[in-house]
Amino acid sequence: MSKLNILEFPDPRLRTIAEPVDKVDDDIRKLVDDMFETMYDANGIGLAATQVNVHLQVVVIDLSEDNSEPLVLINPRYQVIEDELDEMQEGCLSVPGFYDTVERPRRIAVESLDRHGNPQNFEADGLLAVCIQHELDHLDGKLFVDYLSKLKRQRIRTKLEKQHKQEQQVQR
Ligand code: GNR
Ligand code: NI
């Protein structure tokens, strides 16, 4: 397994629309394993392939404390089944250090393939519903900062751009 590099806002590659996976083969399973290693290493609860610059519809999630409940979503879709909105404080491994409240539909029905390419259908609410919507946004080139005001988004952009410049200087 190998740890992958996570793209950070405002990297334009995060705006790429992911393509469906046409066959769940060993290459896809290797990507899934590398994404889990990357997500666990970064202490995240979810990761979309877009964030590691692979533009395929692949998502990994694990909401457990001890990395014991890996969930793989390939070619995922969802329908809102309860459009009442819930607020949640969101963060993102591609927007490190920033957290803000986002409103999303409370309950969704999810259709996807699992790591063997078998269909997997379930309903989700709470943190899982939030996480799945956040990850599927990544596959559409969308980030949680897009739901914030332009001013907040601009402030985050400026701070991260400054950090990225400083990191580049350290490397030289
Ligand atoms: O680790 C993460 N935590 C989180 C918290 C609230 C709402 C969404 C998330 S997803 C995020 C990992 C990530 O960036 N996934 O794309
Ligand atoms: Ni994210």
Side-chain angles (χ1 to χ4, degrees):
M1 290 213 282
S2 31
K3 211 185 88 175
L4 307 170
N5 184 49
I6 299 178
L7 301 178
E8 294 186 3
F9 178 73
D11 193 312
R13 293 172 289 183
L14 288 167
R15 300 308 186 178
T16 312
I17 311 281
E19 300 284 343
V21 170
D22 50 36
K23 188 164 186 291
V24 182
D25 58 12
D26 285 346
D27 287 348
I28 295 295
R29 280 184 284 274
K30 163 88 165 91
L31 169 65
V32 163
D33 290 342
D34 290 346
M35 285 173 63
F36 272 117
E37 184 178 355
T38 305
M39 179 187 77
Y40 289 141
D41 184 75
N43 290 315
I45 59 171
L47 188 70
T50 310
Q51 293 176 276
V52 295
N53 200 30
V54 175
H55 301 290
L56 293 171
Q57 294 175 13
V58 176
V59 163
V60 300
I61 291 175
D62 193 331
L63 300 188
S64 74
E65 291 284 322
D66 55 352
N67 303 347
S68 63
E69 293 168 29
L71 175 63
V72 177
L73 304 179
I74 295 171
N75 298 346
R77 301 275 175 276
Y78 68 84
Q79 283 193 313
V80 173
I81 50 180
E82 207 181 313
D83 45 1
E84 181 116 22
L85 300 176
D86 278 338
E87 284 190 347
M88 186 91 73
Q89 188 83 356
E90 295 199 18
C92 181
L93 295 174
S94 296
V95 192
F98 295 89
Y99 304 87
D100 214 326
T101 307
V102 178
E103 283 189 332
R104 299 186 188 269
R106 173 171 299 172
R107 197 170 172 82
I108 58 175
V110 183
E111 283 184 51
S112 73
L113 302 177
D114 67 14
R115 67 177 291 135
H116 306 291
N118 296 322
Q120 167 180 251
N121 302 328
F122 59 95
E123 293 183 10
D125 60 11
L127 183 58
L128 182 58
V130 171
C131 189
I132 289 172
Q133 292 175 74
H134 175 115
E135 301 312 336
L136 270 61
D137 273 353
H138 278 302
L139 300 181
D140 288 332
K142 204 157 186 215
L143 297 167
F144 88 92
V145 296
D146 300 344
Y147 297 98
L148 309 180
S149 69
K150 201 172 172 183
L151 180 63
K152 280 187 175 177
R153 190 164 50 254
Q154 191 55 47
R155 281 185 181 146
I156 293 171
R157 173 194 280 267
T158 303
K159 285 178 185 163
L160 283 175
E161 280 174 341
K162 206 175 267 177
Q163 278 182 30
H164 295 157
K165 277 206 188 100
Q166 284 172 351
E167 285 159 14
Q168 273 180 4
Q169 285 190 338
V170 171
Q171 276 169 19
R172 274 193 265 127

